[in-house]
Amino acid sequence: MSGAAVAVKKKLSVPFDYSKYIRPGKLPHIWCPGCGHGIVLKALLRAIDKSGLKKDDICMVSGIGCSSRTPGYVDFNTLHTLHGRALSYATGVKLAKPELKVIVITGDGDALAIGGNHFIHTCRRNIDMTILVYTNAIYGMTGGQYSPATPVGSVSHTSRYGNIEPPFDTCEMAKASGATFVARGTAYHCQELERIILEAIKHKGTSVVDIIDSCPVYYGRMNKYKSASQMMEMIEKNGTISVKQAEKLPPEKLEGKLLRGILYKVDRPEYCEEYEKLIKKAQGKG
Amino acid sequence: MAEKKRILLQGNEACAEGALYAGCRFFAGYPITPSTEVAEALSVKLPKAGGKFIQMEDEIASISAIIGASLAGVKSMTATSGPGFSLKQEGIGFACLAEVPCVIVNVMRGGPSTGYPTGPGQADVMQARWGTHGDHPVIALTPAYVQEILFETVRAFNLAEKYRTPVMILYDEIVGHMREPIVLPEPGEIEVVDRVKPTCPPEEYFPYDERYEIAPLAAYGEGYRFHVTGLNHRQDGFPTNDPATIQEGIKRIIRKIENNRDDIMKNEEFHLDDAEICILAYGSTARSGREAVKIAREKGIKVGLLRPLTLWPFPEDTIREVSKRARVVVVPEMNLGQIVYEVERCADCEVVGIHRVDGEPITPAQIIEVMERYK
Ligand SMILES: Cc1ncc(C[n+]2csc(CCOP(=O)(O)OP(=O)(O)O)c2C)c(N)n1
Ligand code: SF4
């Protein structure tokens, strides 16, 4: 793109038109005021728009949870499945129609607790799909119980005395399981999140984006955040640091911080492409 | 015409052949005795046919993957046994409510729990009917011979596609592992049904269009961009809280099967016309039942066999009819009494069960012994 074109774009700064991706008549959504899920959805839609993918070519699959309600609002091929099972349904869709771009929306409970086994095996296969884990550190849909991403000490409706279970590091787990693109973003850093999701979508193989998100209604209230915006400030100030900033800091300054940005990216044979080779071999053509 | 070549196949292999014949091009499964050979055969044959086999991380993943593949337009199947069948139940309910065609094979073994993995059982027939939560329709087929497993697998796919519903095939370890000479049908020899796809413009498409008893089903990626959910939904596929719509949706999926019983039901009747004693048996137990009829007839006992090949929906009318003429219906099954209670519900005469769960088949002699009491 020429420099002039960039300048023009900046000057106009036309607000993004989300409506072309929203199904007519399907809003309002079920999310509470202040919930981070809507911010993530907007970043996702902008990323999809930039990817140039056609609506017909996207299949969005989700499990069960507040975050997993996303597919019901957007104008793609959409599949709202069972709690924890989104990745397995998505695997079937992708193998049956490899030309579809499969995007999975899943909560931290959906992906890491009940769906944990599917999560690691999907990453291991390196099947081409983008997995967005909405990590709000709580079970939102069922009213605020602790999840495998809830920090130690946090209060929830099932950890009234403070959570004693250490949380997963979703990114480390994705990488160790074999995902070939691993990144972390947050609902606060929404422009950055858009760029990360775009890269994840463009990646060939299993791409995982852990998205630090907020549930002001349950996690927030039970852990003494006065408002949704205060939770967002918490996401901004504490907890995460961008990969670039981290490079400049000594390790002791990074303790307890989660890295933001693209953390890992490699090329490895993708499952559907390998399957096509297997078919040729079986048919004696390989 | 020259006689067709017979080949010796195991029941599980015949099931794989039936699936291929029916156009199945996706299989997802997890190994479990005594069903594993279905997966093994398809792992070799599906890629040759341009299809795909995947060994998933468990049975839940397997049922989920076949539902996903079916929604993307590919005929799909999974196969399992006892414990794996339990794990699939939530997914089966999803396929019922979301009306996704697919085939689930359960090669029955002893239970509960890990039970007797290498022994036969027929104790999953009620799980097949009521295993998933909520009211729902069920089609379950119970072949008893190796050749029949092939034919019934084709029929299972045809019914699944026609009625947009999961169809189960229940046979037990005995026929699953038994080898019998069978004939592979030529292409075109038996009917293969494909789901009806929409022809309307995408903006007019409803995946649960109320104008139809069974609405056409689009495939993902073909321009229709429809929504599927396991929540109670409206005709456009989106969730609803409206009581009338919820109730009507559930009633409709049950009605679409009930209204088509003529097409779905299938029984074999053997010497039933003048039978005073009726044996009602399914699967491999019916093989003993048939033998028992032959032996008893030689002794002059008026016995006949009613063998449901469609066990669910239940052959209520046929049993009512038969029991008007018979004095007793004898129900042998390799469980401690499941179908026998369904028979009691429908029969106009006495009903007696023969049951065992020791992993041994019910023999003709065992059935004859009971019949002697009623001659
Ligand atoms: C088999 C099964 N178990 C439990 C539930 C209840 N359930 C619904 S959503 C949910 C947790 C949702 O939390 P998460 O995945 O983190 O998403 P969020 O709602 O926070 O976005 C649970 C436990 C269910 N629907 N199905
Ligand atoms: S309960 Fe929490 S996660 Fe769910 S919509 Fe409300 S704020 Fe969001």
Side-chain angles (χ1 to χ4, degrees):
Chain A
M1 200 189 276
S2 75
V6 172
V8 169
K9 231 183 177 177
K10 270 201 176 142
K11 216 154 94 200
L12 287 176
S13 108
V14 184
F16 184 81
D17 178 15
Y18 296 97
S19 66
K20 64 177 159 176
Y21 293 107
I22 298 292
R23 278 183 164 125
K26 296 298 174 280
L27 294 179
H29 52 67
I30 63 153
W31 299 320
C32 311
C35 176
H37 294 346
I39 302 173
V40 180
L41 173 59
K42 288 172 98 176
L44 169 61
L45 293 180
R46 293 193 305 271
I48 286 173
D49 196 66
K50 290 221 168 88
S51 74
L53 285 165
K54 290 206 283 295
K55 292 198 279 189
D56 281 336
D57 298 337
I58 295 174
C59 183
M60 189 178 279
V61 185
S62 69
I64 296 288
C66 300
S67 37
S68 289
R69 283 301 191 96
T70 304
Y73 308 127
V74 291
D75 193 10
F76 307 118
N77 302 282
T78 51
L79 177 54
H80 176 225
T81 71
L82 294 174
H83 193 31
R85 317 300 170 203
L87 293 171
S88 310
Y89 282 79
T91 298
V93 170
K94 182 69 186 179
L95 276 172
K97 274 231 171 84
E99 59 273 27
L100 283 170
K101 177 75 218 178
V102 175
I103 299 173
V104 176
I105 309 289
T106 172
D108 46 334
D110 198 63
L112 309 178
I114 192 165
N117 198 27
H118 310 310
F119 183 80
I120 59 178
H121 287 279
T122 306
C123 293
R124 177 176 63 82
R125 291 188 189 101
N126 194 34
I127 186 166
D128 185 35
M129 62 176 68
T130 297
I131 307 169
L132 305 181
V133 186
Y134 289 46
T135 303
N136 56 7
I138 200 94
Y139 287 1
M141 182 64 104
T142 40
Q145 302 78 22
Y146 70 91
S147 86
T150 305
V152 169
S154 292
V155 176
S156 77
H157 279 140
T158 46
S159 60
R160 292 280 186 173
Y161 306 108
N163 179 31
I164 57 168
E165 294 185 21
F168 273 131
D169 182 327
T170 310
C171 293
E172 288 294 332
M173 180 156 67
K175 185 180 162 194
S177 306
T180 47
F181 179 106
V182 179
R184 186 181 284 114
T186 85
Y188 177 85
H189 306 88
C190 52
Q191 303 291 343
E192 179 192 75
L193 181 64
E194 172 192 324
R195 289 193 293 274
I196 292 172
I197 295 177
L198 177 60
E199 290 308 310
I201 290 174
K202 287 200 292 198
H203 179 76
K204 185 104 193 155
T206 304
S207 53
V208 176
V209 185
D210 180 28
I211 302 166
I212 311 287
D213 195 358
S214 69
C215 169
V217 168
Y218 292 112
Y219 189 90
R221 279 205 289 223
M222 275 185 286
N223 291 282
K224 309 269 185 287
Y225 290 98
K226 293 202 181 75
S227 64
S229 50
Q230 202 195 26
M231 275 203 89
M232 279 294 156
E233 280 167 22
M234 178 276 290
I235 293 177
E236 186 209 357
K237 292 205 180 81
N238 313 322
T240 68
I241 182 164
S242 79
V243 185
K244 278 213 181 99
Q245 286 169 313
E247 276 167 7
K248 296 177 207 143
L249 295 176
E252 58 274 18
K253 286 258 163 92
L254 298 176
E255 215 154 282
K257 295 224 185 270
L258 288 171
L259 292 181
R260 253 177 24 241
I262 296 165
L263 309 184
Y264 181 70
K265 183 169 160 44
V266 284
D267 274 332
R268 208 157 52 76
E270 189 276 326
Y271 190 85
C272 295
E273 287 183 355
E274 291 303 296
Y275 214 106
E276 290 310 320
K277 289 185 206 161
L278 182 151
I279 288 177
K280 289 215 172 78
K281 198 169 164 186
Q283 294 177 338
K285 297 177 193 158
Chain B
M1 213 171 81
E3 196 173 308
K4 281 213 193 113
K5 210 178 109 211
R6 285 166 165 259
I7 54 168
L8 196 63
L9 279 194
Q10 191 192 53
N12 284 338
E13 292 164 345
C15 176
E17 291 295 340
L20 288 165
Y21 189 96
C24 170
R25 290 297 175 268
F26 184 78
F27 179 97
Y30 190 79
I32 184 165
T33 306
S35 74
T36 307
E37 295 84 1
V38 180
E40 289 178 348
L42 286 171
S43 75
V44 175
K45 300 212 164 182
L46 270 176
K48 278 193 183 155
K52 285 171 185 163
F53 161 92
I54 184 169
Q55 184 169 303
M56 295 300 284
E57 51 274 17
D58 59 32
E59 286 84 352
I60 305 176
S62 306
I63 180 92
S64 304
I66 69 163
I67 296 171
S70 181
L71 284 168
V74 176
K75 288 188 187 177
S76 304
M77 178 170 99
T78 186
T80 190
S81 298
F85 193 51
S86 300
L87 288 179
K88 288 186 196 294
Q89 291 302 336
E90 194 190 6
I92 292 171
F94 184 95
C96 285
L97 184 77
E99 298 182 69
V100 185
C102 56
V103 173
I104 300 110
V105 181
N106 176 16
V107 188
M108 292 182 287
R109 64 190 225 180
S113 189
T114 311
Y116 185 22
T118 53
Q122 294 184 311
D124 300 347
V125 286
M126 275 297 166
Q127 189 187 187
R129 178 62 193 89
W130 294 114
T132 197
H133 59 283
D135 285 302
H136 59 280
V138 162
I139 300 179
L141 313 183
T142 46
Y145 302 90
V146 174
Q147 178 79 66
E148 201 172 74
I149 289 177
L150 190 155
F151 290 147
E152 289 302 284
T153 304
V154 178
R155 191 163 77 96
F157 273 97
N158 288 349
L159 292 171
E161 294 286 313
K162 196 167 173 185
Y163 296 108
R164 271 188 70 175
T165 196
V167 174
M168 297 179 222
I169 306 174
L170 308 172
Y171 55 89
D172 55 74
E173 188 274 339
I174 297 175
V175 246
H177 281 161
M178 178 185 291
R179 287 179 191 278
E180 288 181 312
I182 72 161
V183 175
L184 295 182
E186 297 292 331
E189 199 178 320
I190 35 181
E191 192 195 14
V192 167
V193 178
D194 294 322
R195 69 191 66 172
V196 176
K197 289 200 164 188
T199 49
C200 64
E203 44 307 346
E204 287 168 23
Y205 178 63
F206 289 144
Y208 306 93
D209 197 325
E210 283 159 2
R211 289 172 304 171
Y212 300 85
E213 188 175 44
I214 299 136
L217 179 59
Y220 285 146
E222 291 178 0
Y224 283 89
R225 293 204 304 273
F226 60 108
H227 185 61
V228 172
T229 174
L231 290 164
N232 291 110
H233 44 261
R234 306 182 307 215
Q235 61 168 347
D236 61 5
F238 292 93
T240 181
N241 294 331
D242 173 52
T245 311
I246 291 171
Q247 178 154 299
E248 174 52 23
I250 299 166
K251 283 189 168 170
R252 187 182 55 75
I253 58 172
I254 292 169
R255 209 164 52 223
K256 76 177 176 184
I257 304 302
E258 286 301 322
N259 285 354
N260 291 290
R261 271 177 174 262
D262 284 352
D263 183 43
I264 297 168
M265 301 312 292
K266 188 174 171 187
N267 301 305
E268 186 205 12
E269 299 189 3
F270 182 61
H271 289 299
L272 260 189
D273 290 345
D274 63 342
E276 290 167 7
I277 302 174
C278 167
I279 302 170
L280 183 138
Y282 51 92
S284 70
T285 308
R287 299 172 71 118
S288 299
R290 195 184 175 90
E291 200 54 33
V293 171
K294 285 193 210 155
I295 299 167
R297 283 270 166 184
E298 275 170 23
K299 292 186 185 179
I301 310 174
K302 286 193 171 169
V303 186
L305 173 75
L306 173 61
R307 179 170 75 94
L309 277 91
T310 302
L311 191 64
W312 301 115
F314 199 64
E316 290 153 10
D317 293 343
T318 313
I319 292 169
R320 242 169 241 135
E321 210 42 51
V322 167
S323 67
K324 278 190 193 133
R325 288 172 268 141
R327 273 185 287 114
V328 60
V329 182
V330 179
V331 186
E333 36 179 358
M334 286 184 277
N335 56 48
L336 291 182
Q338 296 194 12
I339 289 301
V340 67
Y341 297 119
E342 289 294 307
V343 177
E344 271 181 6
R345 180 170 68 80
C346 314
D348 267 344
C349 63
E350 193 177 342
V351 176
V352 54
I354 304 175
H355 308 285
R356 73 192 294 176
V357 289
D358 57 355
E360 293 296 317
I362 293 173
T363 60
Q366 219 183 327
I367 301 171
I368 290 166
E369 193 190 306
V370 173
M371 290 192 304
E372 296 272 3
R373 284 189 252 144
Y374 290 91
K375 70 176 180 196

